[in-house]
């Protein structure tokens, strides 16, 4: 004998439930369907059509069963979603860049072509992003379904800083002092020198940097000083300020990469002194790569901070 639509619907629902709950749900569901069919029949709808409409109003049996079993149909429920999202953002901002930088450093030390370095770094970063998404989600999905409890009580200490209090005169003064020290150090090194070699003071920076490379550096410093003052006067980050911060960072990283990559940073006397104590060309190349990476990471961090400030101010 062919089962009716109601019988098929009830069976498809209760088979997803624990055995001890099936009989109660069966009786409740059959009674509910019978009432719905009777109500539609009183409206002049045929019994077959009333049964079909009643079942379609109840919806997918799998969704209905999840409600009876108190088992939400979500990969990560509301208990863990915000914690998952916060941890995921932290990992995405840290793991892929570090992995890409590590691969880039390794290939640069191996003197691979620039195209190979960029391509391999991008591939590794994409792979790291996929792994971070997958494994973080899997861990939280397991935690959610296992009924685990994580103490993540919210406190007022987690409130973000008010936009009007981000930065200010103190930051401007500190940045101005640092910029003045940089300019003073460069000029002192040119006039007097910071390294004492062979009984006399010698400049650490290469003489080939003067005048044009140093002029470019001073222009970047001047732009940064003006930016710091404007930023302090505004009090909050704006899209325009974030764009300027990004442009200054790109220019400075380009300047540093060009100078270091061409071997123009250190004076020949300083390089010879390093070689005299056993620091060979390979070690110098590795140190140069690490210095460029450190400068780039610092610049990226400043740019990220600027755009996060724009988002908070908005």
């Amino acid at each position: 004998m062919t089962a009716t639509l109601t019988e098929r619907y009830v069976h498809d629902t209760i088979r997803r439930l624990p055995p001890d709950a099936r009989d109660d749900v069966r009786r409740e569901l059959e009674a509910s369907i019978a009432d719905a069919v009777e109500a539609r029949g009183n409206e002049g709808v045929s019994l077959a059509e009333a049964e079909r409409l009643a079942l379609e109003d109840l919806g997918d049996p799998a969704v209905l069963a999840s409600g009876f079993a108190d088992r939400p149909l979500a990969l990560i429920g509301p208990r863990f979603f915000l914690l998952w999202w916060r941890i995921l953002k932290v990992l995405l901002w840290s793991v892929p860049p570090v992995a890409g930088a590590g691969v880039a450093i390794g290939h640069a030390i191996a003197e691979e072509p620039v195209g190979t370095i960029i391509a391999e770094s991008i591939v590794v970063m994409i792979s790291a992003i996929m792994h971070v998404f997958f494994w973080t989600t899997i861990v939280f999905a397991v935690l959610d379904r296992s009924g685990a409890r994580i103490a993540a009580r919210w406190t007022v200490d987690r409130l973000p800083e008010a936009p009007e209090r981000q930065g200010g005169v103190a930051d401007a003064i500190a940045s101005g002092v640092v910029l003045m020290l940089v300019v003073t150090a460069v000029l002192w090194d040119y006039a007097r020198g910071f390294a004492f070699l062979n009984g006399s003071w010698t400049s650490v920076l290469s003489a080939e940097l003067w005048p044009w490379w140093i002029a470019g550096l001073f222009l970047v410093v001047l732009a940064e000083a003006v930016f710091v003052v404007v930023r302090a006067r505004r009090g909050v980050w704006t899209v325009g300020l974030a764009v300027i911060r990004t442009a200054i960072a790109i220019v400075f990283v380009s300047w540093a990469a060009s100078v270091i990559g061409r071997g123009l940073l250190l004076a020949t006397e300083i390089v010879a002194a390093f070689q005299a104590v056993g620091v060979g060309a390979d070690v110098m190349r590795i140190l140069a790569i690490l210095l460029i990476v450190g400068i780039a990471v610092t610049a990226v961090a400043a740019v990220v901070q600027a755009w996060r400030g724009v988002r908070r101010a908005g």
Side-chain angles (χ1 to χ4, degrees):
M1 181 177 179
T2 304
T4 64
L5 290 178
T6 298
E7 291 172 341
R8 290 162 55 190
Y9 187 93
V10 172
H11 172 73
D12 195 28
T13 301
I14 65 173
R15 71 183 180 86
R16 308 169 191 272
L17 301 176
D20 57 349
R22 292 177 181 177
D23 291 338
D24 292 338
V25 173
R26 179 194 295 276
R27 287 191 293 269
E28 179 182 348
L29 195 53
E30 288 176 344
S32 177
I33 295 173
D35 292 340
V37 171
E38 182 180 357
R40 289 184 179 276
N42 294 335
E43 296 175 357
V45 181
S46 65
L47 290 179
E49 184 64 19
E51 182 182 27
R52 177 179 293 275
L53 293 175
L55 297 178
E56 289 179 351
D57 286 343
L58 288 174
D60 192 327
V63 177
L64 188 62
S66 70
F68 281 116
D70 193 21
R71 188 172 56 236
L73 298 177
L75 188 61
I76 300 176
R79 288 192 307 138
F80 289 100
F81 178 80
L82 291 178
L83 182 59
W84 166 81
W85 180 236
R86 293 190 188 105
I87 292 178
L88 183 64
K89 288 190 292 185
V90 171
L91 293 176
L92 288 177
W93 277 112
S94 57
V95 175
V98 170
V103 171
I105 291 173
H107 284 285
I109 292 174
E111 298 184 335
E112 297 284 352
V114 176
T116 301
I117 296 175
I118 295 175
E120 292 293 335
S121 300
I122 292 175
V123 169
V124 169
M125 290 179 66
I126 293 175
S127 176
I129 291 172
M130 295 174 61
H131 279 283
V132 166
F133 261 108
F134 178 80
W135 292 111
T136 306
T137 304
I138 286 295
V139 168
F140 275 94
V142 171
L143 289 175
D144 198 18
R145 278 155 175 73
S146 65
R149 295 183 178 274
I150 296 180
R153 182 174 176 269
W154 184 88
T155 64
V156 294
D157 296 330
R158 297 174 62 180
L159 285 172
E161 189 177 358
E164 65 272 14
R165 300 181 62 182
Q166 296 170 5
V169 177
D171 290 342
I173 293 175
S175 299
V177 170
V178 172
L179 295 175
M180 289 176 57
L181 289 176
V182 170
V183 173
T184 302
V186 172
L187 294 176
W188 181 274
D189 183 72
Y190 178 72
R192 176 67 182 249
F194 277 108
F196 191 76
L197 298 175
N198 301 323
S200 62
W201 291 99
T202 304
S203 297
V204 174
L205 298 177
S206 173
E208 298 182 37
L209 294 175
W210 294 85
W212 302 114
W213 287 106
I214 295 299
L217 175 62
F218 284 172
L219 286 176
V220 173
V221 171
L222 177 61
E224 178 69 16
V226 173
F227 171 82
V228 168
V229 173
V230 174
R231 165 74 181 90
R233 290 174 61 89
R234 291 289 181 88
V236 295
W237 283 102
T238 64
V239 174
L241 289 175
V243 170
I244 295 174
R245 160 61 72 207
T246 304
I248 293 175
I250 292 174
V251 171
F252 177 66
V253 172
S254 300
W255 180 91
S258 299
V259 168
I260 298 173
R262 298 183 183 188
L264 301 177
L265 182 62
L266 299 178
T268 55
E269 294 83 1
I270 302 299
V271 174
F274 277 119
Q275 292 176 346
V277 296
V279 180
D282 292 339
V283 176
M284 293 293 292
R285 187 177 70 254
I286 293 173
L287 293 176
I289 293 172
L290 294 177
L291 178 59
I292 294 175
V293 171
I295 292 173
V297 169
T298 303
V300 169
V303 172
V304 170
Q305 181 185 20
W307 287 103
R308 288 183 63 187
V310 172
R311 186 178 58 122
R312 287 197 297 265

